[in-house]
């Protein structure tokens, strides 16, 4: 590189036009790789209703219910929430199948509030798949784990009675959550309730812990400044990994849930 070209590159980097490179050639501000180990992102149950709809070329309706991390708090727009990104990812992976993901997240909501609106917000939509994110606010508000277990079990019973597939999604691994003594018991309870209820579990807590503890991502790489909710990258990566897992258990495709998610 000539002296003039080198000077131009350095000036561009200073002005923020180009990413600054380490000696290794890796861009300092490059987006992290969206991935997690296979055991963390596999859905351990089949999704027969979704599989049947896909096999026959029918449309698939998914309802995502939960609190603020489902609603998309921390995202730059509604289009950057995980349900919106999941719809995009699934339609890209399953061309010819019309997949709709309805966002029914409610900021600050706990299990009791979700149960109170389960009929009108979820069951009335006649979903083929329900993604139920639960537990974070209960941890933050020091709710009784045993009481929440009974409420979640009741909700699962009502959802399964409709014939819909169900995937539980546990709390996020974030500083404000893991600082609470109830974080681990809640995570373990949700896993146990999913197993007892015969529904699938997507281990969001473990996936985010992997990002931080194994992939060595700083929290700010996937969380918003409030140290609780995801940012755009976090929501998008969650959606990509979840879409891989859903496709893997619902079709004959060779996609694997643990494959790094495409960054395009």
């Amino acid at each position: 590189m000539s002296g003039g070209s080198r000077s131009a590159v350095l000036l561009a980097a200073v002005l923020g036009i180009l990413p600054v490179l380490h000696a290794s050639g890796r861009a300092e501000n490059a987006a992290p790789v969206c991935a997690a180990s296979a055991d963390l992102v596999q859905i351990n149950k089949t999704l027969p209703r979704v599989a049947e709809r896909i096999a026959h070329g029918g449309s698939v309706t998914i309802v995502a219910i939960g609190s603020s991390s489902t609603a998309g708090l921390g995202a730059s727009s509604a289009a950057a929430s995980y349900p919106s990104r999941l719809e995009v990812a699934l339609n890209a992976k399953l061309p010819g199948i019309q997949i709709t993901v309805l966002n029914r997240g409610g900021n600050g909501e706990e299990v009791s509030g979700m149960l109170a609106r389960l009929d009108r917000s979820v069951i009335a939509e006649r979903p083929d798949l329900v993604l139920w994110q639960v537990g974070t606010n209960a941890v933050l508000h020091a709710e009784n784990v045993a009481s929440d277990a009974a409420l979640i079990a009741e909700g699962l019973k009502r959802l399964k009675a409709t014939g819909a597939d169900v995937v539980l999604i546990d709390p996020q691994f974030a500083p404000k959550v893991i600082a609470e003594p109830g974080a681990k018991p809640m995570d373990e309870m949700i896993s146990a309730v999913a197993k007892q209820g015969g529904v699938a579990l997507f281990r969001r807590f473990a996936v985010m812990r992997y990002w931080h503890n194994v992939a060595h991502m700083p929290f700010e790489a996937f969380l918003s400044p409030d140290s609780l909710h995801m940012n755009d990258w976090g929501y998008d990566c969650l959606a990509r990994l979840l879409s891989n897992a859903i496709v893997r258990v619902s079709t004959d495709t060779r996609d694997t849930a643990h494959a790094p998610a495409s960054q395009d």
Side-chain angles (χ1 to χ4, degrees):
M1 181 182 293
S2 68
S5 298
R6 186 179 299 108
S7 297
V9 169
L10 290 174
L11 177 60
V14 170
L15 294 175
I17 300 172
L18 295 175
V20 177
L21 299 180
H22 289 298
S24 63
R26 178 179 177 272
E28 186 177 61
N29 61 347
V33 175
C34 177
S37 59
D39 60 314
L40 301 183
V41 291
Q42 291 177 351
I43 290 178
N44 59 351
K45 295 284 184 181
T46 60
L47 302 176
R49 175 77 166 261
V50 175
E52 188 273 336
R53 297 291 292 168
I54 292 173
H56 291 86
S59 60
V60 177
T61 298
I62 300 173
V63 175
I65 185 171
S67 54
S68 54
S69 63
T70 295
L73 197 62
S76 61
S77 69
S81 67
Y82 105 76
S84 293
R85 299 310 302 159
L86 179 64
E87 181 177 282
V88 171
L90 287 173
N91 277 297
K93 289 178 177 295
L94 299 169
I97 305 294
Q98 180 59 50
I99 299 175
T100 301
V101 182
L102 303 175
N103 190 335
R104 296 295 183 263
N107 292 338
E109 202 165 50
E110 296 184 15
V111 183
S112 57
M114 297 177 203
L115 286 183
R117 63 184 179 92
L118 203 62
D119 286 340
R120 69 177 184 276
S121 295
V122 180
I123 295 174
E125 302 291 351
R126 301 177 65 184
D128 301 298
L129 171 62
V130 177
L131 305 173
W132 189 3
Q133 167 260 313
V134 68
T136 299
N137 287 318
V139 170
L140 297 178
H141 302 155
E143 292 292 315
N144 183 279
V145 172
S147 297
D148 278 358
L151 292 175
I152 295 171
E154 176 190 337
L156 293 180
K157 183 177 179 180
R158 288 166 58 186
L159 291 172
K160 290 178 66 180
T162 70
D165 297 326
V166 182
V167 176
L168 280 180
I169 300 176
D170 55 17
Q172 60 263 48
F173 185 84
K176 286 187 178 179
V177 176
I178 60 179
E180 298 294 331
K184 184 178 179 181
M186 179 62 68
D187 186 53
E188 292 173 345
M189 178 274 282
I190 292 173
S191 178
V193 170
K195 184 175 181 180
Q196 292 163 6
V199 302
L201 172 69
F202 188 79
R203 301 174 61 195
R204 177 174 62 162
F205 189 86
V207 168
M208 295 176 71
R209 182 173 57 200
Y210 173 94
W211 292 345
H212 186 261
N213 292 354
V214 180
H216 304 296
M217 297 184 199
F219 279 117
E220 56 267 26
F222 54 88
L223 293 180
S224 63
D226 68 2
S227 297
L228 177 61
H229 299 95
M230 289 186 179
N231 58 21
D232 286 359
W233 185 91
Y235 284 129
D236 185 66
C237 185
L238 173 71
R240 289 170 183 265
L241 295 175
L242 182 54
S243 71
N244 284 349
I246 290 171
V247 168
R248 185 172 185 261
V249 297
S250 303
T251 73
D252 293 328
T253 181
R254 296 296 181 177
D255 280 351
T256 56
H258 61 279
S262 171
Q263 295 297 306
D264 56 16

